[in-house]
Amino acid sequence: MCGIVGYVGHREASGFLLEGLRRLEYRGYDSAGVAIADQAGHVSICKTTGRIERLASALAGSPLHGSIGIGHTRWATHGAATEGNAHPHVGGEHVVTICHNGVIENYQQLKSRLESEGYVFQSATDTEVIAHLVTECLEKECVDEEGKDSQEPYASLVTAVKAALSQLRGTYGLVLMFRDYPGVILAARLGSPLVLGIGDDEHFIASDASPLAGYADKIVYLSDHQIAVVTADSVQVTHRDHGDVRHSVESLQVKTPAVDLGGYSHYMLKEIYEQPESLKNAMRGRLTEDDATAMFGGLNLTPQQLGGVKRIILTACGTSWHAALLGEYLIEEFARIPVEVEYASELRYRNPPVDPGTLVFAISQSGETADTLGAIREMKRKGHRTLAICNVVGSSIAQEADGGVYLHAGPEIGVASTKAYTSQCMVLALLALYFGRMRHLSVDAGMRIINAFHALPSKVRAALQTEEECKRIAAKYCHANNFLYLGRQYNFPTALEGALKLKEISYIHAEGYPAAEMKHGPIALVDESTPSVFIVPQGFVYDKVMSNIEEVKARGGPVIAVVEHGDTRVAELADDVISVPSVEEFVQPIVSTIPLQLLSYHIALMRGCDVDKPRNLAKSVTVE
Ligand code: AGP
């Protein structure tokens, strides 16, 4: 979703701005732009729709010189994806130039008032009201006495920006440049992340840490309601209500991203193939044979607190929600703790009775998903302990939670989550073992689980060998308009995830169901042109799923089945079979997911879709 960059220092700003925007591409966007001020303070803007490379070509044709600038990738919320709606936006006679992430909920009222006062709007965005509001506050000198009298060179700017922000309802990550103050950028945040990179006589601003790698080795995470005044040689942070604050400077953990595809044609494929390694990384140092359990460094809870957990809530969105669902099955099975899985977007506005002794886990690859962040904030407000399972180190959710577990899956660039999903499943399986061993699970049972975990990366590597078969099946069905994905028990989440992967990147309508639920409605969709993908590993529901396959075949529906090596029964019924290695039932969903990822990938490719950047989607959904 939208990304922000900013630079003030001694080099040409355009270099960092473009590179930073490229590194934020993964978040998803539909247009981009930069504003750069020259030595005389004159601000020029360049904006394009489409990919960053179009912006880069436009800038190559008409370069913008200057050592201070801001840039943005926009994912349309208010107003179509046009050049006019792309950021930066200006207020008044170029008094202020801004880029904004987030949503201003009361923009319509503010816009009407500003228009009645003569401000002319150039775009259909909610952002433009901020530009005009700041201009109004600067021009009308909504500057309190303290601001006017202050010796601080930018005090009146800060006061005007505070006055403008106090009129907004919604969320913002905001960078502002000023016509009459050429050497400074202001950065403000409420509900949408912003970080500052500290260099030598230069400073960088970004909406997450990834653009900073290789440019700065120190980072400042702005908190809500903070406003930073950033010049080439200084950073001053002030709180909306409490005045100046001491900001803490941390070392930047993010390494320069491996942007090359490593010989793969897409990031998604690369990330699918990274799974044996990412699973090892999720487990590394977290299993102890001595106690036949898992261990975690960052939960920040005493053994007494953990022993006293009576209920667990897992909250997430999208693919992470599917991982949570598997987590529910595993934790309840191994640890006998009641678990509920909540859509974060629902939980944040619901008011469920939650007893003391409830532990809330937020699961998020990006750690920036607005709804998931909103949900844990709401749970924290009510006094519950919150833990994060995130991939991105230092992300907002990781920081807000009381503790947590990182996936260590490495950067996931493809918008469709693959390796982060299997790592989330892995971490939840480790937690299930951990809670289980604190309760009734025996040493023997613990060791059996650990052995299954250790075997998993090589089984996943073997499952990747199904690619040619997936490609063949993709060619057969890539023109279908509807798909069903069906699985039971541990593989119900696998069915949901398989369906989501297909629809995200190939735009084919696909639905996932518990296989037996099919009879209660979805079976009406079955015909010769609607393939059903069944996940049918060995296990206690095997025969039940076989009956569900019969039901589809009886209605002429084509069946693609994911089975375990050695299975011969399913092949007698199914039209196409993909065979994966046998593993313990509780880790089978991780293995079975691999061919579903590959199938989606090849179908999308054959339909000519942009696999890594599917239409309308953002990698990190930072608005609600
Ligand atoms: C995954 O393929 C999707 N792009 C999407 O559903 C994603 O899982 C969801 O937006 C949640 O993201 P998060 O894990 O970063 O919070």
Side-chain angles (χ1 to χ4, degrees):
M1 206 149 268
C2 306
I4 284 181
V5 284
Y7 176 80
V8 50
H10 46 79
R11 342 182 186 190
E12 285 286 351
S14 56
F16 170 72
L17 297 182
L18 272 179
E19 175 58 18
L21 292 179
R22 282 194 188 98
R23 293 198 201 162
L24 292 173
E25 271 196 302
Y26 76 95
R27 293 165 70 112
Y29 67 103
D30 41 53
S31 54
V34 295
I36 294 175
D38 63 19
Q39 280 191 328
H42 175 74
V43 176
S44 302
I45 293 177
C46 179
K47 317 199 256 196
T48 53
T49 53
R51 300 283 177 232
I52 301 293
E53 288 323 308
R54 281 188 74 187
L55 180 69
S57 311
L59 282 169
S62 315
L64 299 184
H65 296 291
S67 52
I68 177 165
I70 56 179
H72 192 258
T73 45
R74 173 174 189 256
W75 186 85
T77 57
H78 297 59
T82 60
E83 203 172 293
N85 288 334
H87 301 210
H89 289 286
V90 295
E93 295 299 313
H94 289 258
V95 172
V96 61
T97 308
I98 72 167
C99 296
H100 165 227
N101 286 356
V103 169
I104 303 306
E105 290 164 7
N106 59 337
Y107 86 101
Q108 210 43 273
Q109 298 99 292
L110 292 167
K111 186 172 178 175
S112 307
R113 180 179 69 70
L114 288 160
E115 279 178 329
S116 71
E117 287 168 22
Y119 287 93
V120 180
F121 281 74
Q122 310 288 343
S123 76
T125 64
D126 53 340
T127 296
E128 202 181 344
V129 296
I130 310 175
H132 292 306
L133 263 186
V134 173
T135 305
E136 182 187 47
C137 289
L138 280 165
E139 287 178 342
K140 284 191 181 165
E141 298 205 16
C142 296
V143 176
D144 58 20
E145 289 312 311
E146 188 193 339
K148 282 180 191 161
D149 296 344
S150 170
Q151 298 304 304
E152 297 289 343
Y154 303 114
S156 54
L157 279 188
V158 173
T159 319
V161 168
K162 281 184 186 173
L165 297 184
S166 68
Q167 299 175 56
L168 304 178
R169 211 175 54 236
T171 54
Y172 52 79
L174 197 60
V175 284
L176 310 96
M177 283 164 63
F178 303 88
R179 182 189 63 196
D180 302 328
Y181 297 81
V184 66
I185 297 177
L186 259 61
R189 129 164 213 179
L190 176 60
S192 194
L194 274 185
V195 297
L196 311 178
I198 312 289
D200 291 332
D201 293 329
E202 57 181 351
H203 288 113
F204 308 84
I205 305 169
S207 45
D208 69 43
S210 54
L212 305 184
Y215 288 94
D217 51 15
K218 295 199 173 55
I219 185 168
V220 175
Y221 292 93
L222 287 186
S223 302
D224 278 352
H225 301 300
Q226 289 186 342
I227 299 170
V229 180
V230 187
T231 66
D233 51 17
S234 69
V235 168
Q236 195 185 354
V237 181
T238 176
H239 187 276
R240 188 189 62 179
D241 308 318
H242 314 308
D244 286 353
V245 289
R246 276 177 71 92
H247 54 275
S248 53
V249 179
E250 298 173 30
S251 353
L252 180 65
Q253 302 292 337
V254 181
K255 303 212 168 43
T256 311
V259 281
D260 70 292
L261 284 160
Y264 291 93
S265 43
H266 294 91
Y267 286 109
M268 182 182 177
L269 192 62
K270 177 175 182 243
E271 288 154 8
I272 290 173
Y273 273 87
E274 281 172 354
Q275 290 175 107
E277 217 39 49
S278 53
L279 287 165
K280 271 191 207 159
N281 290 339
M283 279 184 259
R284 201 180 304 282
R286 289 178 173 156
L287 287 170
T288 156
E289 269 85 9
D290 289 349
D291 296 322
T293 189
M295 53 190 185
F296 300 94
L299 294 182
N300 299 339
L301 293 173
T302 62
Q304 286 81 353
Q305 285 170 320
L306 286 162
V309 171
K310 294 196 170 53
R311 180 184 174 204
I312 289 176
I313 294 179
L314 303 174
T315 188
C317 302
T319 284
S320 301
W321 189 92
H322 298 156
L325 198 58
L326 178 64
E328 176 184 22
Y329 283 47
L330 293 172
I331 296 170
E332 289 192 342
E333 181 67 30
F334 291 180
R336 316 300 305 151
I337 302 173
V339 179
E340 272 149 67
V341 179
E342 294 268 0
Y343 284 111
S345 53
E346 290 297 306
L347 180 62
R348 65 184 297 189
Y349 295 121
R350 246 156 49 75
N351 191 15
V354 180
D355 304 325
T358 302
L359 195 54
V360 182
F361 280 92
I363 305 162
S364 172
Q365 186 287 129
S366 62
E368 301 296 350
T369 302
D371 284 320
T372 313
L373 188 57
I376 60 161
R377 282 187 177 155
E378 182 58 19
M379 288 291 117
K380 272 182 87 167
R381 199 172 294 126
K382 289 178 173 153
H384 303 296
R385 287 206 165 267
T386 59
L387 297 174
I389 299 175
C390 290
N391 193 32
V392 178
V393 175
S395 54
S396 300
I397 293 171
Q399 290 196 60
E400 292 255 350
D402 299 313
V405 187
Y406 281 119
L407 302 180
H408 299 309
E412 191 178 65
I413 310 283
V415 164
S417 184
T418 51
K419 63 176 180 174
Y421 172 66
T422 48
S423 292
Q424 287 167 337
C425 294
M426 189 69 240
V427 163
L428 285 159
L430 293 170
L431 282 164
L433 167 64
Y434 177 68
F435 282 116
R437 285 286 293 130
M438 289 186 90
R439 289 166 168 77
H440 72 283
L441 216 57
S442 67
V443 175
D444 260 11
M447 275 315 298
R448 186 173 70 97
I449 294 168
I450 287 182
N451 291 336
F453 289 169
H454 282 316
L456 193 54
S458 65
K459 303 285 183 178
V460 165
R461 187 166 291 112
L464 288 165
Q465 288 169 12
T466 59
E467 184 174 1
E468 278 312 307
E469 190 57 6
C470 293
K471 215 162 153 179
R472 184 191 65 75
I473 296 171
K476 188 168 166 189
Y477 297 104
C478 65
H479 299 297
N481 292 323
N482 296 291
F483 269 74
L484 286 175
Y485 282 75
L486 302 157
R488 290 186 82 160
Q489 301 289 304
Y490 292 133
N491 280 303
F492 165 41
T494 317
L496 292 176
E497 178 57 9
L500 181 65
K501 264 333 52 119
L502 185 71
K503 68 185 137 198
E504 276 188 300
I505 60 168
S506 71
Y507 320 139
I508 295 175
H509 171 239
E511 299 200 31
Y513 279 98
E517 271 297 302
M518 183 191 60
K519 299 186 290 296
H520 302 284
I523 199 163
L525 298 172
V526 171
D527 62 17
E528 323 61 67
S529 61
T530 303
S532 293
V533 180
F534 277 90
I535 302 109
V536 216
Q538 296 299 319
F540 75 101
V541 288
Y542 178 85
D543 287 326
K544 312 275 178 203
V545 182
M546 287 297 280
S547 305
N548 301 140
I549 296 179
E550 297 269 13
E551 287 153 11
V552 169
K553 286 309 298 174
R555 284 154 185 87
V559 167
I560 303 162
V562 178
V563 303
E564 284 185 5
H565 286 341
D567 187 306
T568 48
R569 274 180 66 197
V570 176
E572 288 167 18
L573 272 181
D575 298 82
D576 297 280
V577 168
I578 305 168
S579 171
V580 295
S582 295
V583 287
E584 292 271 9
E585 231 176 327
F586 48 85
V587 283
Q588 187 67 49
I590 295 179
V591 176
S592 298
T593 290
I594 307 297
L596 302 188
Q597 296 170 343
L598 289 166
L599 186 65
S600 305
Y601 172 78
H602 284 290
I603 290 178
L605 213 58
M606 286 168 192
R607 289 170 72 100
C609 299
D610 188 345
V611 171
D612 281 337
K613 299 186 192 100
R615 70 182 183 203
N616 304 341
L617 294 182
K619 182 70 184 161
S620 134
V621 182
T622 51
V623 295
E624 18 177 335

